[in-house]
Amino acid sequence: MRQPLQRRKSWFPWRDILLQVGLAAVWAGAFGSITGGVWLGAKLIIDPDSARWLSDNLPDWTQLGFQSSNRPETLSDIRDRIEDSGYTPAEPIEIPGASVEPDLLLPVLQQRSEPCGKQCFEIVALQIYQRVSPGWNPEESSLFYLTAEISVTGPAESYAIAPLVNARSLAPGSTRPLPLTHLQALTENAPADGLWFNLIGERDTGEGGLSYGQVYHYNPSRYSLSLMLQWTSPAGQLPQWEEFTGRGRPEFVVDRTVGLEPDFGIYQLRSRNFLPNPVQLVPLSLNEPALDSRTYQNALLLARNGLWSEAESILRSLKQERGSQWTSEAQSQLDKIAFHAEIVSAQADASWASPSQKLLTALLDGRWSESTTILDGLGENEMSDVISMLSSDTHRLWRRIEAMVRVNPTNQEAMFWGVIVRSLDRGQAEAMTWLAEQENVSETTLEEAEQVLNRIATN
């Protein structure tokens, strides 16, 4: 039997050639990668900022920390460059950086054109410089890279005076930005999430010094400098970090109090999905209830309208009922309300030389029965002072009364004071019409209202 013929091999070894070419390409690629890596490493050592082109072509989530194409400069060169641009460099402040060597925070100033008194310069930019490591710096003087910069524009006048406008029915201010003249490093009780700075301005309101400002955050690991918050304080109090709600982390507290009306803004530090600056300041609001409960919503309504003590009492009772269902968010809102309640309660308990002040603080705390007792004990001369005082505070008293009657439509004492305040604002006829429209008003309250309106009419 014949054996089958074997197939002849191709005379040209295609497969061998392709294999050899592929291996050569792999070796060339590996050699090129190693050579490129060595070259890039040497380049970064000699000139760290030269790799900015690489950072610019990477995805956002892998960006390198190169923020400036400037070459290293001495502090003297930096100052000269800023002055040549028409600005004034302030004294630099050493701050912790991403490396062992401290970075520099340099405020940039501009001379104000309007009459400025003692503060004739305002901050118009913040710059952060990274110090070149001494091991790679052959010069005797320190060299710095500009790694972060942000322009600064102060808050609008309308924002800064808004608490005074709301409290006293003043004309709103303009949109003109107000100058920021001081820088404060926020270090006491500050969270470890980066560095915090407070830029501050001051304004004379005629009745005291109003302070306002902006809070900035610097993330050294990403060379990111961000505006986080604007604030204003009619009492001239600077905001600060403190553990306000007992959550184990400090909160940023802003005192916006006007006169006898306490108002503290509480801002909590929360994380966010933004790599350059992964934190944000979120206000602790009383607008959204932490629990799905009509009673809880009513308590927040009272608190938003200044009846802090009544709101605290309702929430503490509700907390006992809910037990383990009481959430940390609800506790934060309760803590804020209790803090304000303590202030207005202390004001109402204080000894006042003037009966009108004693009456006002009782009304601001929602002490309707006590307020009526004070009113009944007034002489004719004192009654005139009280009428004058109430007439100037009808807005903030009325919002308390309206909220109380809405939450508790059977509260006769709140209705009684509603008639008084309404009459001083809209006239007696409209006040009695309002009272008569209340479904649960009693005959006794109607009679007492007519008597007190007659007494007011004779003064």
Side-chain angles (χ1 to χ4, degrees), residues 314-324 326 331 334:
I314 293 173
L315 289 185
R316 291 201 182 280
S317 297
L318 186 61
K319 180 181 178 180
Q320 290 183 344
E321 295 176 8
R322 290 298 181 100
S324 60
W326 189 257
Q331 185 61 44
L334 173 55

Side-chain angles (χ1 to χ4, degrees), residues 105 123 126 180-187 195-201 211-217 229-231 237-241 252-254:
L105 169 64
I123 301 172
L126 294 176
L180 296 167
T181 56
H182 301 80
L183 184 144
Q184 173 195 30
L186 294 168
T187 56
L195 305 174
W196 299 84
F197 308 103
N198 191 17
L199 300 190
I200 306 164
S211 296
Y212 57 88
Q214 295 174 340
V215 176
Y216 288 82
H217 175 256
L229 177 72
Q230 294 194 127
W231 60 269
Q237 300 296 317
L238 296 183
Q240 59 186 353
W241 288 104
F252 197 68
V253 182
V254 180

Side-chain angles (χ1 to χ4, degrees), residues 51-60 62-67:
R52 179 182 172 87
W53 62 270
L54 178 60
S55 177
D56 291 341
N57 289 280
L58 289 174
D60 291 341
T62 60
Q63 285 290 298
L64 300 176
F66 298 100
Q67 299 296 327

Side-chain angles (χ1 to χ4, degrees), residues 150-200:
I150 190 170
S151 299
V152 173
T153 302
E157 180 188 38
S158 57
Y159 171 84
I161 68 172
L164 296 175
V165 173
N166 296 335
R168 302 172 187 171
S169 299
L170 300 178
S174 67
T175 58
R176 176 177 63 93
L178 297 180
L180 296 167
T181 56
H182 301 80
L183 184 144
Q184 173 195 30
L186 294 168
T187 56
E188 186 174 359
N189 300 323
D193 308 79
L195 305 174
W196 299 84
F197 308 103
N198 191 17
L199 300 190
I200 306 164

Side-chain angles (χ1 to χ4, degrees), residues 371-387:
S371 300
T372 302
T373 301
I374 296 173
L375 182 67
D376 292 341
L378 296 176
E380 293 305 315
N381 293 334
E382 295 172 331
M383 188 68 177
S384 298
D385 293 338
V386 165
I387 293 173

Side-chain angles (χ1 to χ4, degrees), residues 225-248:
L225 186 60
S226 307
L227 171 62
M228 304 295 287
L229 177 72
Q230 294 194 127
W231 60 269
T232 181
S233 176
Q237 300 296 317
L238 296 183
Q240 59 186 353
W241 288 104
E242 60 180 281
E243 191 173 331
F244 190 90
T245 63
R247 293 168 61 99

